């Protein structure tokens, strides 16, 4: 603990500071060998749980072949090619070419650059309470001013609308390069689109010649019962951004679009986006193994049945609402204080929950998609017991 605080830069005054010994399946073990059932999955990143055998096998086999050999895009590296090919086979025809990067926020940066390059415009429309990452471009389209005021000036030209508010769509005009939004708002509290909102945004973009960038960094890779969240809503974006669960626990991001759009990064200028480690063969191998597991099993379809079980079990007067879809769920309480108490009481009892970025009354349930029905029942029992102990 002392070395952790002394040498590793912190993100908050009071980190949870669990010292991890090992992790496997749906469990994380601390250095006292206490087992914690994981309902967070590294904030939606460990799609197949911890150390899934197919993922670790792919990683180990690739490390024996080669690691980094050349900057992105110069050499043909089979894991990256095969991942991009399999991904294209799961997506609409206009989403067939993928640029692999190192993280979700870098993918957002690349997508914003591509939209400006394609349209020759600079105005970006984002949403209030949106979260797209923490680099300067991503922060510029973050919809929570108090989270970014300390880092201004940011990139100019961003306008904010309210998610699900159709009257705001008039702000998408002929000067707009792109609209960027999450298919399901994450940090805001797992807010689902309503009344064909995403489809109406896409229609408005088409009317004015703007591009639609959809951020699927959190909903993507099966978490909502489809490979990507937008597939629930009878529409498709111009640019699709992904990360988190894509790598099965490895750091990764990507943005996907049509060949015509992606080719714009090749010239005027050349190297329109460049990255040293994007498409790293070990991470691409893990991503390929993850996508193969998702597409060759029933894990994605099963998330909707698992959601039903969560909703049937988590009935309590102090749980005011369960938001979200599939295994991207948020428990809403009356106050942030109650949410905090439930989180820490559950942690004492061996269940990991976590906060959302902006909705302080909520706790996330974003477990591995491999979570069993028995594990769901056990975790829900711990949550209910914890609430009862708090309120008694």
């Amino acid at each position: 603990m002392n070395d952790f605080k002394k040498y590793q830069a912190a993100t908050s005054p009071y980190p949870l500071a669990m010292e991890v010994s090992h992790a496997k399946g749906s469990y994380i073990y601390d250095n006292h060998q206490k087992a914690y059932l994981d309902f967070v999955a590294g904030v939606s990143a460990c799609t197949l749980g911890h150390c899934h055998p197919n993922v670790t096998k792919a990683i180990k086999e690739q490390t024996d072949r080669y690691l980094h050999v050349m900057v992105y895009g110069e050499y043909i590296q089979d894991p990256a090619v095969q991942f991009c090919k399999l991904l294209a086979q799961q997506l609409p025809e206009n989403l067939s070419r993928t640029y692999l990067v190192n993280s979700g926020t870098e993918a957002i940066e690349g997508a914003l650059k591509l939209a400006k390059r394609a349209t020759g415009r600079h105005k970006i429309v984002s949403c209030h309470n949106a979260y797209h990452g923490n680099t300067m471009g991503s922060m510029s389209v973050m919809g929570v001013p108090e989270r970014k005021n300390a880092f201004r000036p940011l990139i100019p030209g961003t306008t904010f609308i309210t998610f699900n508010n159709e009257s705001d769509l008039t702000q998408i005009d002929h000067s707009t390069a792109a609209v960027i939004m999450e298919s399901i708002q994450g940090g805001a509290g797992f807010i689902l689109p309503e009344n064909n909102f995403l489809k109406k945004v896409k229609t408005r973009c088409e009317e004015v010649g703007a591009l639609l960038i959809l951020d699927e960094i959190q909903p993507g890779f099966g978490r909502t019962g489809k490979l990507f969240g937008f597939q629930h809503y009878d529409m498709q974006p111009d640019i699709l951004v992904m990360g988190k669960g894509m790598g099965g626990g490895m750091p990764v991001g990507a943005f996907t679009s049509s060949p015509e759009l992606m080719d714009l990064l090749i010239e005027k200028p050349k190297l329109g986006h460049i990255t040293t480690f994007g498409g790293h063969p070990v991470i691409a191998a893990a991503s390929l193994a993850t996508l193969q597991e998702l597409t060759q099993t029933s894990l994605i379809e099963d998330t909707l049945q698992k959601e039903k079980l969560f909703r049937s079990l988590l009935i309590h007067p102090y749980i005011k609402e369960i938001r979200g879809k599939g295994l991207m769920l948020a428990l809403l309480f009356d106050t942030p204080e109650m949410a905090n108490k439930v989180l820490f009481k559950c942690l004492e009892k061996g269940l990991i929950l976590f906060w959302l970025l902006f909705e302080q009354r909520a706790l996330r349930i974003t477990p591995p998609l491999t979570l069993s029905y028995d594990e769901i029942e056990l975790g829900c029992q711990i949550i209910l017991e914890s609430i009862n102990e708090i309120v008694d």
Side-chain angles (χ1 to χ4, degrees):
M1 171 67 84
N2 289 337
D3 285 351
F4 172 69
K5 290 184 175 181
K6 183 175 180 179
Y7 297 111
Q8 188 170 333
T11 57
S12 69
Y14 305 106
L16 291 175
M18 180 198 300
E19 189 168 350
V20 177
S21 166
H22 61 286
K24 190 171 182 62
S26 301
Y27 286 87
I28 298 174
Y29 299 82
D30 68 15
N31 61 337
H32 302 293
Q33 300 308 302
K34 179 177 177 179
Y36 295 84
L37 179 57
D38 185 6
F39 270 18
V40 178
V43 187
S44 304
C46 301
T47 304
L48 302 179
H50 300 285
C51 297
H52 189 280
N54 290 355
V55 176
T56 57
K57 179 184 178 185
I59 291 169
K60 291 171 183 175
E61 289 180 350
Q62 184 56 44
T63 59
D64 287 337
R65 295 191 184 104
Y66 57 90
L67 304 182
H68 175 71
V69 290
M70 178 52 71
V71 295
Y72 177 82
E74 292 295 333
Y75 287 178
I76 300 170
Q77 299 177 60
D78 190 63
V81 173
Q82 294 306 316
F83 171 79
C84 292
K85 180 179 178 180
L86 181 57
L87 180 65
Q89 292 169 351
Q90 317 304 316
L91 289 171
E93 190 174 342
N94 76 312
L95 298 171
S96 62
R97 190 162 294 174
T98 297
Y99 197 122
L100 299 170
V101 294
N102 300 283
S103 65
T105 194
E106 187 194 347
I108 292 291
E109 300 284 342
L112 293 171
K113 289 167 64 179
L114 178 58
K116 290 185 175 184
R117 170 68 179 84
T119 63
R121 304 171 182 178
H122 73 275
K123 177 181 173 181
I124 304 293
V125 176
S126 185
C127 289
H128 297 295
N129 295 318
Y131 179 75
H132 298 288
N134 254 279
T135 48
M136 294 300 280
S138 301
M139 190 175 290
S140 299
V141 294
M142 182 193 297
V144 181
E146 57 268 27
R147 287 295 186 106
K148 56 187 184 179
N149 285 340
F151 308 105
R152 295 186 187 277
L154 299 172
I155 296 173
T158 303
T159 297
F160 292 90
I161 63 176
T162 299
F163 196 75
N164 282 327
N165 187 343
E166 294 178 31
S167 64
D168 279 0
L169 299 187
T170 56
Q171 296 185 50
I172 305 168
D173 56 27
H174 288 86
S175 66
T176 303
V179 177
I180 181 169
M181 59 179 54
E182 302 152 275
S183 59
I184 298 172
Q185 280 204 309
F190 292 6
I191 308 299
L192 300 178
E194 300 171 354
N195 301 318
N196 289 317
F197 182 68
L198 294 183
K199 195 170 185 178
K200 291 171 182 176
V201 172
K202 178 62 184 299
T203 298
R204 179 60 180 168
C205 286
E206 291 172 342
E207 291 171 352
V208 301
L211 299 181
L212 176 58
I213 302 169
L214 273 190
D215 179 343
E216 289 271 1
I217 293 170
Q218 186 160 194
F221 292 91
R223 186 152 293 283
T224 69
K226 298 282 188 180
L227 187 62
F228 292 100
F230 77 86
Q231 293 172 321
H232 291 285
Y233 300 109
D234 188 29
M235 54 79 62
Q236 56 197 52
D238 297 293
I239 307 172
L240 176 68
V241 180
M242 63 201 80
K244 283 191 182 293
M246 171 180 166
M250 297 291 276
V252 69
F255 58 106
T256 298
S257 190
S258 66
E260 294 76 18
L261 283 177
M262 296 301 273
D263 281 352
L264 296 174
L265 295 175
I266 296 174
E267 293 185 288
K268 299 180 183 178
K270 293 181 180 178
L271 308 178
H273 190 74
I274 190 68
T275 171
T276 298
F277 290 114
H280 191 285
V282 175
I283 293 172
S287 299
L288 177 60
T290 299
L291 186 55
Q292 287 172 333
E293 186 72 12
L294 291 175
T295 55
Q296 294 171 9
T297 69
S298 64
L299 280 173
I300 294 178
E301 305 93 274
D302 292 348
T303 62
L304 297 177
Q305 294 303 313
K306 292 174 181 179
E307 176 192 354
K308 289 180 181 178
L309 182 57
F310 269 113
R311 290 185 180 275
S312 71
L313 294 173
L314 290 175
I315 298 172
H316 194 284
Y318 280 79
I319 298 175
K320 299 305 178 184
E321 186 180 351
I322 301 177
R323 294 178 180 168
K325 195 172 188 67
L327 291 178
M328 183 177 173
L329 301 174
L331 301 184
L332 199 70
F333 298 91
D334 271 335
T335 64
E337 291 74 19
M338 184 62 183
N340 287 341
K341 289 178 181 178
V342 172
L343 184 148
F344 287 110
K345 180 60 72 171
C346 285
L347 194 62
E348 288 177 17
K349 293 175 171 290
L351 176 69
I352 297 172
L353 301 172
F354 205 60
W355 299 276
L356 298 183
L357 272 177
F358 309 138
E359 177 50 88
Q360 297 181 353
R361 299 171 299 162
L363 294 177
R364 71 166 53 240
I365 294 179
T366 56
L369 304 194
T370 50
L371 188 76
S372 72
Y373 292 96
D374 286 344
E375 289 167 340
I376 293 172
E377 292 182 1
L378 172 60
C380 290
Q381 180 183 341
I382 292 173
I383 292 171
L384 297 176
E385 288 176 356
S386 297
I387 296 172
N388 287 334
E389 290 181 21
I390 291 166
V391 300
D392 279 350

